[in-house]
Amino acid sequence: MPPILPDALAAADKIAYLSRAGIFSGLGQGDLAKLADLAMPREYAGGEVVIHQGDFGDAIYFICRGGVDVFIRNREGAESVIGRLAEGDFFGEMALLTGAPRSASVRTSGDALLLWLDKKDFDVFLREHPEMALLFSRILAERITAANRLHERQIGREEQLKKLLFQEEEEHLTRLVGRTKQFQAVEKRVEELSGGAEPLVIVGPEGAAVEDVARLLHFRSPRSGRPFMVVDLGGGEEWRTYRARARGGQKDAEEEARLFEDYQVSTVFGHEGGAMRGTEASRLGCIELADGGTIVLKNVDRLAPGSRERLNIYLLEKKFYRLGGMGVLAADTRVIGTLTAPEGEENPAKVFRGRIPPILLRNRINLPPLSSRRRDIAVIAETYLEKHAALQGKEIKDISHQAVNTLVRYSWPGNDRELESVIERGVMVCEGDTLLAEHIFLGLTPYSEKGRANLLRLGPFRRAFANLRLRGLLQGAMVPALLAIIAVNLTGLAVRGVSVGTALFWYFMLPLLFLSFILLGRVYCSICPIHGLTRLLRLIGSGERPAPKVFGRIGVAGAAFFTIAFFWMEDAFLFRENPMRTAAFLIFLLVAAAAANFVFKQEVWCRFMCPMGYMSGTFACLAAVELRANNSVCSSQCKSALCFKGDGASPGCPMGLFPVSLTSNQNCKMCGTCVHNCPFNSIHLDLRWPGAEIWENREPALVTALTVPAMLGIVFPLLLHQNRHIGGGLAAYTLLFLAAPLALLGLFSLACLTGGRAEWPRQAAAFGFAYLPLAFAGHLACQFPYLLTGWRWLTGAPQAARYAAAGPRVLIVGVGLLWGAWAMRKLSPGRPRGALSAHGALMTAAGLGLLFLAAA
Ligand code: CMP
């Protein structure tokens, strides 16, 4: 420990040292003597840490002899020197002036002599010399700006970032990208306004690049060498922390409003020590800190009345005073406000009149929504690609045409911010040198817990759900189970006059599977025996071919076709009455599935071909459970995407899905792999209202939606077949099996036309799913009599009239119809009346038709 030199340093020496500090050059001898009296000397050995990053600030230090290194540590613990200070310099002022923890650590580079001034004495000194506060704040602002930039550099991997940051800064400083007329109008306004110092507002829709435009204005202006600061007046994390500390449990709205106003005033104009509840320290506001530069006040319409008044005065006179301060201070900081425009509002500034200082509204830049300048999307995406590829250290140089098409077709409700996060996620999961359509995950709505209960909060359940070994065991057990069913069918074994194979598969397994779709979503798929077989096959080699492109194009249409064919075959060839055919059919399914999954990666059979997969995926949209990621956790904490990619120790998502982009149960097998892989507990398994997805999914899949009326259509021939009302043999049945789904699909398409041609795809995507409850109920009604037959067989009850279950069938279809009507009602806000009436009529007609057949 170096010796403290209490009086060893004569007052004259202290004065001499202090007067060497540039910052005190304007102070008179008397003031210097006073300061010297308060300052304490201390000697340090080389390499000693004087200040630790993150500590509370208790003193300011002046360097009399020697030098110091200012350094910060990044997340990985690596150290990086951000500044070197020498004799005549000072440090430790930031924490004292801002009230924040120490921004960096400071270490002596050799033996050094420092003079330190206690925080309390420093406060008194500043109060007596307000002009010094401004000098300190100028230096502080420069250091903050430099430190911010450097700190950003530390966040990721050092080497990769070094190159990037300089590029990124230049990028940010010199250009916005776009070609459209709307974009050029923005460029022109920026050009016009960047020369001056007048205040202005930038108005844009949610997620628009308002901050980038403000940044550009600053860096193109003569102020570019001075500080640029962004402050959110909406009250973020900092406000919440302050509120919690200052309010101390009280819940008085007026009190809260007062606190919020104090908080805003202090953020923008600063406060004197003791003026803010819950904090003793004084603080400089951003107007002072950014003197000579620019501040951006985000959400400037959220100004409390008192802070609005102060800002108004500042904008008119360039004068202000701190909260609790008496002295009038001056600064020359340019103020840019930003506002989020209400959707569809032509003149957004009108809406905000009275809520923000009028002088801000005199100059305005309006940013158009991304959807109105689709031609810009590709170039903006390229810029983000460049930025995030560099940030993540990847060599991705291109975006494929298909990916660009996907981006251009999307509606971008979250504008530039949404586009950037889509590209950032794409880069995260892309392993090659081109960003492909399969890397683009759209429609990420912020995760909301409303109407949801996360089952994974139950510890034992979570552990079982995320236990991949347990799932492997279940999958393994399913292979012999299915082989046993096939074997029993092959032997033709019969008990009490019924084939055991038929009973096991057609009377129990299939009807129970239908029930599982609605209760458990697509869970069956995760233990389907096909996995077991595929895994066995992969022991001898693995298929790494990507899925043929055509599958991507037709989506689930192929699987829907196979499903309809499957239903047709089982009735046309009387599988239930012929165990040999059942066995042959099951063997064919198993071999085809295992072969497809063996040759291609990412389970091509399950996603695009399997009738079970199609039914479970489509009906799972009605399920009472859903697996979703909390995307705010993912975007703020995750950089590895293990949920999707997996690592050496555990596989990634078997369906090639990114949980954060899930808006539907359709392709998620709820296998638990992502829950197992996610280190942040971001994945939820939520209970929800059955069918909630029909009205909550903002981007329903068009192809799947179109298959729903077809699936509803085939319920008619299925019920007729059960009722034995079809004459004319195989040809007539086949014809009916073709005609019914096509007729329903045709009528559905016509009903979608009532909203206008241009609206057809949107109407079809949304309304198709509204028919899902009725389609599901229809199929369940068809399965129910088989289940009943099986139950009677099992319990030895007499097989009264075969498949006679009119009562339960009517009940099931009736519930399906009401459920469909409810879904239609939830979907109705904002949709054309004509379309609603047409779909309402069609669904009612189909429902009544099914009720009639079910009752027969
Ligand atoms: P404080 O945050 O109180 O503690 C760490 C000190 O390091 C800080 O005050 C400044 O005095 C100093 N500091 C931080 N960033 C820089 C920088 N970029 N250049 C020089 N000094 C700095």
Side-chain angles (χ1 to χ4, degrees), residues 308-371:
R308 187 164 56 232
E309 186 53 30
R310 281 173 190 252
L311 184 62
N312 207 15
I313 294 173
Y314 171 74
L315 291 173
L316 293 168
E317 301 174 16
K318 297 273 179 221
K319 298 261 167 32
F320 68 97
Y321 53 98
R322 299 190 197 126
L323 185 71
M326 303 302 280
V328 175
L329 303 168
D332 169 34
T333 307
R334 185 181 203 184
V335 177
I336 300 179
T338 74
L339 297 168
T340 303
E343 222 173 297
E345 177 59 55
E346 287 284 307
N347 182 2
K350 204 174 67 192
V351 185
F352 297 109
R353 225 156 260 157
R355 276 199 269 161
I356 55 179
I359 187 171
L360 269 180
L361 287 175
R362 276 192 218 153
N363 291 301
R364 206 171 69 223
I365 299 181
N366 281 338
L367 299 189
L370 204 51
S371 56

Side-chain angles (χ1 to χ4, degrees), residues 51 70 82-83 85 90-96 101-106 143 146-147 150:
I51 277 180
V70 182
I82 61 168
L85 304 174
F90 62 90
F91 58 89
E93 80 295 350
M94 282 191 189
L96 302 195
R102 295 289 193 195
S103 59
S105 300
V106 180
R143 286 176 177 177
L150 279 153

